[in-house]
Amino acid sequence: MNTMNCDLSAVLFDEYRIQARIRELGVQITHDYKEKKPVMVGILKGGFVFLADLIRSISIPMQVDFLAISSYGSGTVSTGVVKIHKDLDIDINGRDVIIVEDIVDSGLSLGYITEYINKHNPHSVKTCVLLDKPKAHKIDVVFDYVGFAIGHEFVVGYGLDYNETYRNLPYIGILKEEIYQ
Ligand code: IMP
Ligand code: MG
């Protein structure tokens, strides 16, 4: 038994459910980008586990890059202030970009990232997010690929953290409120 498990009130998505959904997303992306060679831009740190599994479910040539941002500080509420810690290495001018993000809450981070990517004149930009909190959006955000929609609960695991912890849980669970209150 994982000792981090007692900090969770419930497991939302187990490993099997996550992998099954990722296989579906991979098939869809493979189909949509058949004649193309997309650049998958993983948003660090939260998106790294999802990206690692997602790219292995895609069977066309593609490239990977990372953008490291921070939007939360150490709490559980988005500040709306996004800071870039690591920029793109690949020149995305004229390229087909897929932004890969762990979770969308207010939508402020993804809105900022999409705008930032668009400034580099890509040929197209699509977004792929593992988790979406539709009721928490503060701005209009459009996704092309979504893993699962969830409620307002704060979740951890499978790359997602609270205070840089829990990223290594192989499943996604709801963090007990007493941990962050
Ligand atoms: P937004 O800007 O409010 O949409 O927040 C998006 C970012 O906040 C995500 O990329 C995550 O890094 C983090 N985040 C939002 N909700 C959660 C959560 O439930 N658990 C862990 N991180 C979260
Ligand atoms: Mg993130």
Side-chain angles (χ1 to χ4, degrees):
M1 171 73 92
N2 198 312
T3 55
M4 288 175 284
N5 218 3
C6 28
D7 296 346
L8 307 180
S9 57
V11 171
L12 263 189
F13 305 107
D14 65 20
E15 296 172 67
Y16 303 100
R17 194 126 178 248
I18 296 170
Q19 293 308 324
R21 185 69 189 116
I22 287 179
R23 273 194 297 276
E24 290 173 354
L25 292 173
V27 167
Q28 210 181 327
I29 291 172
T30 300
H31 172 265
D32 294 350
Y33 287 82
K34 247 190 323 257
E35 310 295 324
K36 299 175 177 144
K37 186 179 180 182
V39 183
M40 315 270 303
V41 176
I43 309 303
L44 296 176
K45 298 177 194 170
F48 81 105
V49 180
F50 177 40
L51 182 79
D53 284 339
L54 182 65
I55 60 169
R56 283 175 287 174
S57 71
I58 295 173
S59 48
I60 46 156
M62 45 142 311
Q63 291 176 315
V64 172
D65 204 350
F66 292 100
L67 199 58
I69 67 151
S70 63
S71 53
Y72 265 42
S74 61
T76 58
V77 180
S78 184
T79 57
V81 181
V82 179
K83 202 169 145 204
I84 293 185
H85 299 282
K86 187 224 157 275
D87 211 335
L88 298 169
D89 295 318
I90 296 174
D91 180 6
I92 58 165
N93 190 327
R95 301 295 305 275
D96 296 297
V97 174
I98 306 174
I99 301 169
V100 181
E101 173 69 303
D102 53 356
I103 185 165
V104 171
D105 186 8
S106 68
L108 294 170
S109 306
L110 193 64
Y112 178 91
I113 293 161
T114 309
E115 207 174 288
Y116 180 79
I117 296 278
N118 270 319
K119 281 191 195 140
H120 293 75
N121 297 315
H123 175 254
S124 70
V125 180
K126 285 193 182 185
T127 50
C128 179
V129 307
L130 180 61
L131 301 172
D132 179 29
K133 296 182 179 176
K135 292 185 206 122
H137 293 183
K138 289 191 183 135
I139 59 166
D140 271 343
V141 269
V142 187
F143 322 112
D144 300 281
Y145 309 100
V146 186
F148 306 99
I150 63 170
H152 277 295
E153 52 272 18
F154 193 83
V155 293
V156 294
Y158 197 74
L160 291 141
D161 75 308
Y162 170 64
N163 247 341
E164 295 299 333
T165 311
Y166 307 105
R167 294 193 196 276
N168 58 322
L169 284 173
Y171 43 81
I172 295 166
I174 302 174
L175 191 64
K176 282 184 184 163
E177 284 187 20
E178 66 207 50
I179 304 287
Y180 57 86
Q181 269 172 354

